[in-house]
Amino acid sequence: MARNLAIWTCLFGLITGGCPGPGPAASTGTSDGEIGTEMSSGTADDSSSGTDATGTTTAVPTTTEAPTSGTTGPDGPLHPDPGEPRYVLIGEAVVLDGSASTGAVLYQWDPGDGSPASEPSADPVFMAMYAEPGRYKPILTVYDGQGGKLSASVTITATKPAVWQPRHSSTVVQLGEADAVAVVSADSDEVMIAEWSGDEFAVARRIATAAGPRTVSDMGEWIAVAAQDAGVLEFRRWDGGDAGHALALGHGSRPFGVVAAGTTVYAALQGPGRLAVVEFDGQNPPVLQDMIEVGFDARGVTLLPDGRVAVTRWRSPPSGGEVSIVDVAQGEVVETWPLQFDPQQASDTEVGGVPSYLSQVAVSPTADLAALPALQVNVMQGLFLNGQTLDPDQVMRAIVAYVALPAGAEQFERRKQFDNRGLASAAAFSPRGDYLYVATRGPQTVERVDVFSGDSSGNLFKVGYAPEGLAVSRDGRWLFVDASLSRELVVYDTGVFDSPGPAVARLQIPSSEPLAPAVLRGKQLFNDSEDDRLSKDDYIACAHCHLDGESDLQVWDFSERGEGLRDTAALLGHAGLGDGPIHWSANFDEVQDFEHDIRGGFGGAGLLDDADWEAGTHSQTLGDPKAGLSEDLDALAAYLATLTEEPTSPFRGPLGELTPEAELGRTLFESDELACTTCHKGQRLTDSQWVDPGVPLLHDVGTLGPGSGQRLGMALTGLDTPTLHGLWRTPPYLHDGSAATLGEVLGAKNPDDLHGVTSALDDEERAALVAYLLCLDGQVD
């Protein structure tokens, strides 16, 4: 009560000019414990409509010795009204007003922050102040003077001031202060511009881009687009009124993330592992200012509040995730944020392992927290590794990792795992930083996380295939979801997130479908885990190990499948069956054999009807052909058959030529003395083939070991010869991932010259051979 009187005295003094200023904050803790229930219904800005509310008042009937039913006071039946839910800033005075209550003669307020409640008083108004961010639930208790009382709570959300406008690479972004967004269409080489007025949304225009646009950034009247397949950074007026500019970033650059800050644009070059710094003023052609080495597999780009730039390593090494922090003025990486390997044993709800597929760093508007959506992969479990089977619900989890700013230290204890979700693909904060929206790619959901508690606070289901990007409108009302393989920009009203209805709008992204129907269907299935036929409990999709058709660069223990330790192979360039038998042990002879993985490792019901599965020898790999039995299984094969292109190697010269060192390596590779071409022959550099039906050509090159396991539950006598194309982007090497570098493959892992005759090479020759192997990308030299 003394605190309440002091605040009232100060407030009266401020009004009359007699108070020198506010005293110390009255609250020191966030709310814990809740009386009644509260349904959150909004997200962002309390200056707009009721959609911004964070809760509804909830009556909590209580009694003294007399029942409250039927009791009345001066204004009628007793009813507490604690006012409307709202946002406040920490440290500011909050007026809690119960004067709209009826039947009350006395009012009592519990501020909900752990401090004492006020004494019952005839005054319905109470002043509170919250010192820490949180979602508080002050409780109003009203008394009718006849022994009855009732209580109700209201939600007051206290936040730090929003001091930062987040800037991170994304597939969808709002354009300045305009009621418009841009979203990329990677398969059709376009950017779609959508605009809205009130509650009406429409496609404004589509802008053609260079091949493979992956992310887009707002530059006021312009947009910057990273066109990965073309290796260029494009600048276009988003109103469609200019032909635009393109800046080539070099052979094999593969730009992915792009973000603009004024006239400076930062692009992550995934091929060479660099950050391109570009100046573009809208008047003159773009100018490349710098190329900064940031490390292998650079992917997402984020501007940090302190002016530095964060660049994610997309696929993580076994030790954990990595984010490079670049001081652009110094032109170098000055710090690395490590995301810890999680050592815990798997359970029904959580798994240990490596956080990987880091495509984004989302920074809160309060500038004190960064969130990284990712996939945590349990690569430490299996019959060989720890004697435990790798069950479908223990393989992987969607996660969000949190990093404190500006210190840059992961808050590992806050890392959130999403049960029944695989691969968190995108994240975006609400404008006040109290909520984080998280897209999960395979399960087709968007989760809302309460940043204060870490708990889930509502979700959206079936948003569309492969949600790849999220954006929240500046006022916080609209959530935009890039459902990339449904080809839709999906718009939701955040004000009804707790009980969401249908989307407000679904706008077609590409001007027309660029893929054949069977290929599109196969690509959707490849990326989907929501379909119970594909995956148990929504965890595993094909793309969760082969996102973008690549390898996840992890080594899995498949001993319970009758195999062993297996390094994930990339799919790009293989064209399905284009390189012969599938997998290191050649245990599949058709893409449709992945039905075995779907029913086994994924825990799905299967794309084949059970009757077809059980007929003949369909239930055996290398058994009766499954092709033609399931339209969806055939569509999956049709999609994989389109993966014919290898990403260009950044280790080649500026025109795609072999470097002089690589030319020397080529001579060595093709020499009879080394005998590399005995197995690695032809354009695809492999002799992979079937000697007889069901009998593959396998080679023992001296790399088999205790963890190599079996082939189809029987002895493993050798390995299928993999193509050498794409080695530059797929470390570690060998079937069990036991070689970290190509130098190890040619040296320590080949002591008896069973894997080519390499023991006589000197250091210069071995380096030249490695240089040649790093240039192999499907190009014919």
Side-chain angles (χ1 to χ4, degrees):
M1 189 66 178
R3 183 191 68 165
N4 187 33
L5 291 174
I7 296 176
W8 259 116
T9 302
C10 185
L11 182 65
F12 181 78
L14 287 171
I15 296 172
T16 60
C19 181
S27 169
T28 59
T30 57
S31 58
D32 49 60
E34 176 181 342
I35 297 182
T37 60
E38 181 266 338
M39 292 294 291
S40 176
S41 61
T43 58
D45 188 344
D46 60 341
S47 63
S48 58
S49 70
T51 61
D52 297 316
T54 60
T56 57
T57 58
T58 304
V60 183
T62 58
T63 63
T64 54
E65 295 181 358
T68 61
S69 176
T71 60
T72 62
D75 304 314
L78 186 64
H79 176 73
D81 186 342
E84 293 297 318
R86 57 196 183 275
Y87 280 96
V88 299
L89 295 177
I90 58 172
E92 72 177 10
V94 182
V95 179
L96 300 175
D97 189 351
S99 60
S101 305
T102 60
V105 296
L106 294 175
Y107 305 83
Q108 183 181 40
W109 280 99
D110 181 338
D113 60 355
S115 58
S118 68
E119 295 296 330
S121 166
D123 188 349
V125 177
F126 180 84
M127 297 299 296
M129 186 181 293
Y130 300 104
E132 297 291 337
R135 229 172 290 282
Y136 298 88
K137 303 208 171 38
I139 301 167
L140 170 65
T141 302
V142 293
Y143 300 82
D144 62 5
Q146 302 177 36
K149 64 179 180 178
L150 280 174
S151 297
S153 68
V154 62
T155 298
I156 304 295
T157 302
T159 66
K160 295 180 180 180
V163 296
W164 177 247
Q165 182 173 300
R167 291 266 178 173
H168 63 260
S169 52
S170 177
T171 65
V172 57
V173 64
Q174 183 169 359
L175 300 172
E177 299 300 323
D179 290 341
V181 295
V183 56
V184 299
S185 178
D187 283 339
S188 66
D189 303 334
E190 294 174 287
V191 172
M192 187 268 275
I193 307 298
E195 297 178 347
W196 72 92
S197 177
D199 296 347
E200 299 295 324
F201 294 79
V203 175
R205 66 194 60 84
R206 296 180 178 89
I207 302 170
T209 70
R214 299 308 303 264
T215 60
V216 58
S217 185
D218 164 50
M219 296 189 70
E221 296 178 348
W222 294 78
I223 54 174
V225 181
Q228 186 173 59
D229 296 344
V232 302
L233 193 60
E234 287 195 312
F235 299 88
R236 304 293 298 271
R237 288 183 63 93
W238 62 264
D239 62 7
D242 190 279
H245 303 271
L247 177 67
L249 295 170
H251 186 85
S253 57
R254 306 188 72 225
F256 188 93
V258 60
V259 67
T263 61
T264 304
V265 179
Y266 305 99
L269 308 187
Q270 191 169 355
R274 296 177 184 143
L275 180 69
V277 183
V278 178
E279 282 295 320
F280 178 68
D281 61 9
Q283 304 296 323
N284 301 295
V287 177
L288 179 63
Q289 297 286 348
D290 203 357
M291 284 277 198
I292 303 173
E293 298 287 340
V294 293
F296 175 73
D297 224 18
R299 185 82 163 186
V301 181
T302 297
L303 187 65
L304 298 178
D306 62 9
R308 299 184 299 174
V309 177
V311 182
T312 63
R313 174 173 174 165
W314 183 41
R315 297 167 294 181
S316 299
S319 56
E322 297 176 358
V323 181
S324 296
I325 307 303
V326 181
D327 186 314
V328 177
Q330 295 183 37
E332 63 182 2
V333 173
V334 294
E335 183 181 346
T336 299
W337 294 349
L339 299 186
Q340 179 178 323
F341 178 93
D342 188 340
Q344 71 172 303
Q345 294 298 309
S347 67
D348 291 339
T349 56
E350 292 194 343
V351 302
V354 182
S356 193
Y357 284 149
L358 306 178
S359 291
Q360 284 188 335
V361 179
V363 174
S364 171
T366 57
D368 59 352
L369 185 68
L372 292 88
L375 179 70
Q376 186 151 298
V377 289
N378 183 14
V379 290
M380 62 182 183
Q381 184 166 321
L383 289 178
F384 175 77
L385 292 174
N386 68 352
Q388 299 180 17
T389 60
L390 192 60
D391 298 328
D393 62 348
Q394 298 179 342
V395 175
M396 57 185 63
R397 289 287 190 285
I399 66 164
V400 170
Y402 293 100
V403 173
L405 298 178
E410 184 191 2
Q411 298 175 324
F412 178 69
E413 71 284 353
R414 292 185 65 178
R415 186 182 294 180
K416 180 174 178 61
Q417 298 197 24
F418 295 87
D419 201 15
N420 298 333
R421 300 286 184 269
L423 182 51
S425 51
F429 281 94
S430 63
R432 288 180 178 262
D434 60 323
Y435 287 115
L436 180 71
Y437 299 95
V438 180
T440 61
R441 184 183 175 95
Q444 302 183 39
T445 70
V446 176
E447 314 287 325
R448 188 176 70 174
V449 179
D450 186 319
V451 174
F452 302 135
S453 67
D455 297 330
S456 293
S457 181
N459 47 52
L460 303 171
F461 296 99
K462 293 184 179 294
V463 298
Y465 286 108
E468 196 162 13
L470 295 176
V472 181
S473 61
R474 302 256 189 255
D475 63 4
R477 183 177 181 187
W478 305 115
L479 174 67
F480 299 94
V481 183
D482 169 23
S484 62
L485 291 181
S486 289
R487 311 304 199 195
E488 291 179 327
L489 178 66
V490 192
V491 187
Y492 291 95
D493 185 341
T494 63
V496 291
F497 209 93
D498 292 287
S499 54
V504 174
R506 288 182 175 269
L507 306 178
Q508 180 175 308
I509 297 174
S511 53
S512 61
E513 175 51 50
L515 302 180
V519 174
L520 173 61
R521 179 58 179 154
K523 191 170 186 178
Q524 290 171 338
L525 292 166
F526 186 84
N527 285 272
D528 189 35
S529 64
E530 190 274 337
D531 189 334
D532 290 341
R533 298 177 304 158
L534 292 167
S535 178
K536 178 183 179 181
D537 299 330
D538 296 355
Y539 289 118
I540 309 174
C542 302
H544 293 171
C545 292
H546 298 281
L547 191 57
D548 290 351
E550 291 279 14
S551 161
D552 62 6
L553 307 187
Q554 304 298 327
V555 178
W556 296 90
D557 184 352
F558 289 153
S559 299
E560 70 270 20
R561 302 187 191 185
E563 297 292 314
L565 297 181
R566 296 292 182 262
D567 182 21
T568 305
L571 302 179
L572 292 180
H574 294 257
L577 294 174
D579 288 338
I582 297 174
H583 292 153
W584 288 98
S585 65
N587 59 352
F588 288 1
D589 62 355
E590 59 178 341
V591 173
Q592 286 83 349
D593 277 334
F594 281 102
E595 177 79 0
H596 294 266
D597 285 347
I598 291 171
R599 288 174 175 258
F602 293 18
L607 294 177
L608 280 180
D609 290 338
D610 286 344
D612 288 330
W613 173 254
E614 294 165 2
T617 58
H618 294 140
S619 62
Q620 302 173 25
T621 64
L622 311 182
D624 292 338
K626 301 177 185 67
L629 299 179
S630 164
E631 186 175 343
D632 278 347
L633 201 54
D634 289 346
L636 194 62
Y639 166 62
L640 291 186
T642 67
L643 303 181
T644 58
E645 299 296 323
E646 294 274 0
T648 53
S649 170
F651 291 91
R652 290 177 174 267
L655 300 178
E657 76 279 11
L658 294 179
T659 64
E661 185 182 31
E663 284 284 9
L664 173 59
R666 177 183 179 180
T667 300
L668 291 168
F669 180 85
E670 295 177 348
S671 68
D672 293 337
E673 291 78 10
L674 265 64
C676 299
T677 56
T678 302
C679 300
H680 295 287
K681 60 179 64 175
Q683 183 175 337
R684 291 297 296 167
L685 300 177
T686 175
D687 65 357
S688 178
Q689 60 185 286
W690 296 102
V691 177
D692 289 308
V695 181
L697 177 62
L698 302 177
H699 300 285
D700 182 355
V701 294
T703 58
L704 298 179
S708 298
Q710 301 173 305
R711 176 180 182 267
L712 297 174
M714 297 179 288
L716 180 65
T717 59
L719 300 166
D720 183 61
T721 304
T723 179
L724 301 181
H725 292 296
L727 288 177
W728 65 270
R729 68 183 202 280
T730 57
Y733 302 104
L734 303 179
H735 71 285
D736 57 359
S738 58
T741 68
L742 290 173
E744 289 184 36
V745 174
L746 302 174
K749 291 294 180 178
N750 189 33
D752 300 321
D753 284 338
L754 297 177
H755 200 179
V757 183
T758 60
S759 60
L761 295 174
D762 60 28
D763 290 344
E764 182 179 355
E765 291 172 325
R766 185 172 285 107
L769 184 53
V770 168
Y772 173 64
L773 295 175
L774 291 173
C775 287
L776 296 173
D777 58 7
Q779 181 173 327
V780 179
D781 295 299

